[in-house]
Amino acid sequence: MPVVPTHPVTTPDPDVLRWVVPDGLLPFTGEVAHAPALLQALIDDGTLGSVRVDDGAVLTLLSPGHSWRAEGARVRSALVDALGAPEAWEGSATAHASGPDDALEAAARQIAGGSLGSFVNSHGGSLVVRSVRDGVVEVAMEGACDECPAAEITMHARFEHLLRRRCPWLVEVRRIER
């Protein structure tokens, strides 16, 4: 079984780690009702207070009395093991099913709202994700980008490149008018 790449990112809450995982790997977003064996054991024994699937991440909350220094390696090992069996994860009743287009849209919005979006804004423009359907992402280049000859380069060489790295099932990025 291939190892799924993941890495932890701190959050404002020191008891919560955000484990970045490949987009679209898990079939839902929301609280985890049941996880594969090793991860479930950490929930059952009280090491983890909760596990939540987010867009491109799994959030783990340590229970009171536990520390990342003591439990981090066990949590990482259990999570990596669990990610190897995405079909064995079950969401709670409040979790939402998530398909490839949902993951693609979340990734597209994160990229457009991140450093690339800041770069575009610094030039007086904006890159806006309008829709995602069947692997096609439609974006509008607005403001100063509307008539800019470099907008196509920004959209394809930067935005599409970053998005395709995260979501290899991307079919196309298409520019639409407002």
Side-chain angles (χ1 to χ4, degrees), residues 15-174:
D15 291 332
V16 175
L17 276 181
R18 178 181 174 86
W19 300 86
V20 178
V21 301
D23 291 287
L25 177 66
L26 297 170
F28 65 91
T29 58
E31 290 296 320
V32 173
H34 184 78
L38 295 177
L39 189 56
Q40 187 64 45
L42 294 178
I43 296 167
D44 293 343
D45 75 10
T47 300
L48 292 174
S50 71
V51 177
R52 178 177 178 77
V53 176
D54 203 357
D55 294 317
V58 174
L59 285 83
T60 52
L61 169 67
L62 280 178
S63 293
H66 294 274
S67 73
W68 286 114
R69 182 178 310 279
E71 306 294 353
R74 272 188 355 142
V75 172
R76 177 190 294 273
S77 293
L79 181 60
V80 168
D81 177 73
L83 291 171
E87 68 287 348
W89 291 64
E90 293 176 25
S92 69
T94 59
H96 302 282
S98 179
D101 280 348
D102 298 311
L104 185 58
E105 182 173 0
R109 291 188 187 284
Q110 287 174 356
I111 291 167
S115 60
L116 179 59
S118 296
F119 168 78
V120 171
N121 291 71
S122 75
H123 290 97
S126 63
L127 186 152
V128 181
V129 176
R130 293 289 184 205
S131 70
V132 177
R133 185 170 168 211
D134 299 327
V136 176
V137 177
E138 293 184 333
V139 298
M141 301 294 289
E142 298 178 349
C145 293
D146 190 32
E147 300 292 327
C148 178
E152 291 297 317
I153 294 168
T154 299
M155 186 180 76
H156 291 294
R158 294 182 120 183
F159 178 75
E160 184 174 352
H161 173 75
L162 291 170
L163 187 54
R164 192 170 300 283
R165 280 182 44 204
R166 286 184 56 180
C167 303
W169 63 91
L170 170 68
V171 173
E172 170 185 17
V173 172
R174 188 178 300 155

